[in-house]
Each structure stands twice: as C-alpha cells, then as structure tokens.
Amino acid sequence: MSVSDTEIVSSSSNKALLLIREVLFFSSLGFFLFKRLFCDVTLWNGQNPFWGEVDQQVDQICESYVPFILIACIVFAFFTTVPKLTRLLACAALIAIGKLVAVANEDSYFFVMTLLIVAAVGISAKKILTFTIGLNIPFLLYTVISSQIGRIENRIDPGRHREYLGYNWTTTPVMIFTYAVFAYLVLRKGKITIWEYLFLNAANFWFFYKTNTRFAFLIIFLLLTFLMVYRAIRDHVIQHSLYRNLFVVIPELCFIFVYGITMLYDPNSGIMLKLDSILSHRLRQCQYSIGKYGLLPFGQPITWVTIGQSTPDNPATYVDTAYLQTLLKFGYVTLIALLLLSSYILYRSFKEKKYALAIVFGCVLVFGLFEQQPFWAEYDVILLLAFADWAKIRDFSHDMPQIGLNRQL
C-alpha cells in the first residue's frame, strides 16, 4: 500500500474541521465553475433577464467573497493535514504568484485558481472530480438541449459548418464535455466497459458533427480506444510501456516543442508554410503575438484579437496553445510554476501507483499543444488534485505490471 503525499490528521475535532473545510471549498468551487462555465460563456444572459441578474450576483460573490472563503479554508488545512515543509513552500509560492499575476493582469481569476489548488490540500480527489462533473454536465446539457429546441440562440458558422450550441464560442461546449470525460476516466480508474466506450464515443462524435472540433474529437477517441486496448493486452504485451522519467517531463517537453517550432517558423520555408497551414496558421499567429506582446514575469492584460475580428491593420493575435497563451498572458514565472506543478502531479501519480491518472493527465498536457484549457482549472480539474487526498483513486487493477523507476528522480 502506497503512502499518500497528503495525510489527514485523524481526530473527532479535526473531522469536524475537515467537514467545514469541505463545505467552504465546494461552495467556492461551485461559484467558480458556475461563473466560468455558465455565466461567462453561455448566451442565456442576453436572452433572459433572470440569468442576467444571476450573473451579476455570482460575479459579486466570486470577486468579493470567494477569495476570503478559500483563505479561511487554507487556514483550516493546517489543523486537518500533516504539515510538510516542501508542500507549505510550494503552496505559499503558488499563492504569491497568483496574487502577482492578478495585480499584473488587473483580474483576480488566476489568484482564485491558485487559492483553489492550495485549498484542496487533503480534500478527497474523488469528491472533487464527482462534484465537478455533477455541476458542469447538467448545465451543459441544459444549454445544448435548449439551443436545439429553440429556447436559446444557436449561432451557426456556415463557413465551417459549426454550431455554437448556446455558447458564445463553438468550442466551449466541446471542451466542457471533453474535460468531463477526462475526469470521468480518472474516477473510473481507466476501467470502462464496452457500453461506456460506445456511449462516450457516440456523444463525442455528435459534438464533432455539430461543431467540427477535430482535435477534441481525436483526443477523446484515441484515449478511450487506448484504455480499452490496454485492458485487453496489458498482461501479455505491455510490460514496460510507461516510463516515469519520460512522463514526468511531458509538460516541459511540450513547451519546448511548441515554443521552438513557433520561433523557428519561417514564411520563406515551404515545409514551414505547409505545417502552418495544417495547424490553421497557428505558427504564424503565435510568432506574431510573442513579438507583439513580449515576455513578462507575471504577464499582462491582453485583449486577444481573433481571426474573425482581425483586419489588415490589426492582425489576429489569439494564441490557441496553452503553453504560449499562459506564457504571454500570465508570464514566464507562472508558466514555470504550472509546468512544475504538472510534473509533480505526474510524479505523484507514479509514486502512488495511480497510473490511470498519469495516462489521462499526459493526454491533457499533449492536448495543450492545440488548445488553451489545460491550464484553466474550471476545465482541467486535475490541476486541483495536486495536493488533494488520492486515497480513493486507485488504478486499473492491483495486479498491473510494475514500472521500472529511476530512484534518482
């Protein structure tokens, strides 16, 4: 039995404090998710006065109260978890970075996100995953179904045959679904039945058919297929298919790759032009944005210019990849912190033999090469699990082949 990196202090008084912490944490997380994935991104506000008033109230709560509630939750953590110096230093650094980013960006979003990560210390990862899915999916279904029956506007982009499904951007409902699938696979410990495989792929295909969001469709299909195949052949073929040292540095490797290929982009190179075309001109756009905004330690306020808003005098600047968007918007110090945090989650998943979590999170990080959500906690809830209690997240099975580890890591 592996020892968790986050141990709970066991006593009747601390159990009561833990219960209070959970109420504070999940209340804050609920407001955060509701604001970010419903109030801020659906079209309900413009069509229904009731939802407009709800949006104002939720926004005020998130700005005025949630940070203080989370700080109280963090204070309670000192009495309900076994203190560890390295974790205390890491958490303090995250909070400090979050505050500096908030000041630099004139926006509290990243500060609240870091508070959520730290406030989750010792809280059940299973509860966090279940709560997130249980909140996000009903509102997703409510909005998507309403868009299909005419209760809310369903904008359509005829040029790419894309529907918005009641959201202000066509990829938003797909991403909510995609990250809910990631969370569900962690909850299921990678063990899905053929019926789950068929149902999730059917839903995945429907979103692809409606929105033409290719990368999300492919990552879900490939991950589900891999998990099904892995279950069938793991005892016979895959003995040493995962190597801890390689997985742990996936975040850093992804950043080096996407930054390197962006800065090496040369419009005079035929190969680069072809690659840029395949990637929907991401290389050219990202290189331009890096040159325009520059790199700051804690980021800067940026009003992105999308392709639809661009003109010859005001080219598009929106950066799709999570690594470069974080670099520009939140700064290189923040990016380094998130890369290290991601590596720690992968390291811990191997240390505690949570291989399903490692596989899913590895896919999320690779997905970040093409999309920006992996470093947004409202989508990528796995970020909130960094210091959480993983006791109830087990692996595919107790007899999974052991993986050779480098003891020096």
Side-chain angles (χ1 to χ4, degrees):
M1 180 178 178
S2 60
V3 177
S4 173
D5 274 15
T6 306
E7 299 175 15
I8 307 297
V9 177
S10 180
S11 72
S12 57
S13 59
N14 285 325
K15 287 180 180 178
L17 283 177
L18 180 58
L19 179 60
I20 295 172
R21 280 191 61 214
E22 289 184 346
V23 171
L24 295 176
F25 175 80
F26 286 111
S27 298
S28 300
L29 179 59
F31 280 111
F32 176 76
L33 293 175
F34 185 69
K35 170 178 168 53
R36 295 290 298 180
L37 296 186
F38 186 82
C39 294
D40 290 355
V41 296
T42 67
L43 299 177
W44 285 106
N45 292 351
Q47 296 187 200
N48 192 316
F50 169 76
W51 286 117
E53 294 177 6
V54 170
D55 179 31
Q56 292 179 0
Q57 294 298 321
V58 171
D59 187 65
Q60 183 178 0
I61 291 172
C62 287
E63 290 290 331
S64 303
Y65 300 106
V66 165
F68 295 102
I69 294 173
L70 288 173
I71 290 172
C73 186
I74 292 169
V75 171
F76 286 150
F78 285 97
F79 303 98
T80 57
T81 59
V82 177
K84 293 185 178 181
L85 180 59
T86 53
R87 188 172 68 230
L88 288 173
L89 293 175
C91 289
L94 274 175
I95 293 174
I97 291 172
K99 185 60 178 178
L100 290 169
V101 169
V103 172
N105 277 262
E106 301 173 0
D107 180 62
S108 64
Y109 166 74
F110 196 79
F111 180 52
V112 172
M113 191 178 103
T114 55
L115 289 176
L116 280 168
I117 293 172
V118 176
V121 170
I123 291 178
S124 169
K126 182 177 180 180
K127 290 181 180 179
I128 294 173
L129 293 168
T130 304
F131 179 85
T132 303
I133 296 172
L135 186 67
N136 288 344
I137 290 300
F139 284 111
L140 172 67
L141 293 175
Y142 172 61
T143 303
V144 170
I145 293 173
S146 296
S147 75
Q148 299 301 292
I149 63 176
R151 291 191 59 197
I152 186 175
E153 180 185 1
N154 182 24
R155 296 174 182 172
I156 297 176
D157 178 3
R160 293 187 61 182
H161 306 289
R162 311 178 83 174
E163 297 183 25
Y164 285 65
L165 303 179
Y167 287 80
N168 58 16
W169 189 248
T170 188
T171 59
T172 303
V174 181
M175 294 305 159
I176 295 173
F177 167 75
T178 298
Y179 283 92
V181 172
F182 289 144
Y184 180 74
L185 293 175
V186 175
L187 271 177
R188 293 285 287 124
K189 310 164 184 88
K191 298 184 293 184
I192 55 172
T193 66
I194 185 64
W195 300 112
E196 289 172 305
Y197 175 82
L198 293 174
F199 174 78
L200 291 174
N201 268 318
N204 187 34
F205 178 78
W206 187 87
F207 276 109
F208 171 65
Y209 173 75
K210 288 289 187 177
T211 65
N212 193 24
T213 309
R214 292 168 292 179
F215 289 123
F217 169 76
L218 285 173
I219 199 78
I220 289 296
F221 172 73
L222 293 174
L223 178 58
L224 290 171
T225 302
F226 172 80
L227 291 175
M228 288 296 294
V229 172
Y230 186 83
R231 288 189 63 201
I233 66 176
R234 65 175 183 241
D235 293 331
H236 305 288
V237 178
I238 301 179
Q239 296 297 325
H240 302 287
S241 60
L242 303 175
Y243 293 95
R244 176 182 181 177
N245 291 5
L246 177 62
F247 256 68
V248 166
V249 296
I250 281 179
E252 291 76 14
L253 291 177
C254 286
F255 168 70
I256 291 170
F257 172 77
V258 72
Y259 183 80
I261 197 171
T262 298
M263 299 312 293
L264 289 173
Y265 170 70
D266 182 358
N268 297 316
S269 169
I271 295 176
M272 283 290 189
L273 282 175
K274 181 65 175 178
L275 180 60
D276 187 47
S277 177
I278 294 173
L279 296 175
S280 302
H281 306 293
R282 280 177 167 87
L283 297 180
R284 179 179 60 189
Q285 201 164 306
C286 289
Q287 189 183 79
Y288 172 78
S289 297
I290 292 174
K292 176 180 175 66
Y293 297 116
L295 306 181
L296 298 175
F298 301 104
Q300 58 202 297
I302 296 178
T303 302
W304 301 106
V305 179
T306 64
I307 293 177
Q309 300 169 330
S310 64
T311 64
D313 297 330
N314 189 30
T317 62
Y318 192 80
V319 174
D320 278 316
T321 170
Y323 300 94
L324 299 186
Q325 186 177 113
T326 301
L327 180 66
L328 293 174
K329 178 69 174 173
F330 298 138
Y332 55 80
V333 172
T334 306
L335 177 64
I336 292 172
L338 289 173
L339 293 178
L340 292 175
L341 183 71
S342 300
S343 288
Y344 170 70
I345 292 172
L346 291 169
Y347 167 79
R348 186 181 168 193
S349 66
F350 279 93
K351 179 182 177 183
E352 300 187 23
K353 299 182 174 63
K354 318 295 185 186
Y355 304 118
L357 197 156
I359 292 172
V360 172
F361 193 47
C363 288
V364 170
L365 293 167
V366 172
F367 191 45
L369 292 170
F370 309 102
E371 299 292 342
Q372 65 274 22
Q373 289 84 6
F375 291 144
W376 295 355
E378 64 269 31
Y379 292 94
D380 184 14
V381 69
I382 295 177
L383 287 176
L384 301 183
L385 307 185
F387 307 113
D389 178 14
W390 292 8
K392 294 185 179 180
I393 299 181
R394 307 192 188 282
D395 194 50
F396 296 94
S397 71
H398 62 276
D399 60 348
M400 180 176 177
Q402 296 296 308
I403 297 170
L405 305 179
N406 185 342
R407 294 179 178 274
Q408 295 180 352
L409 185 62

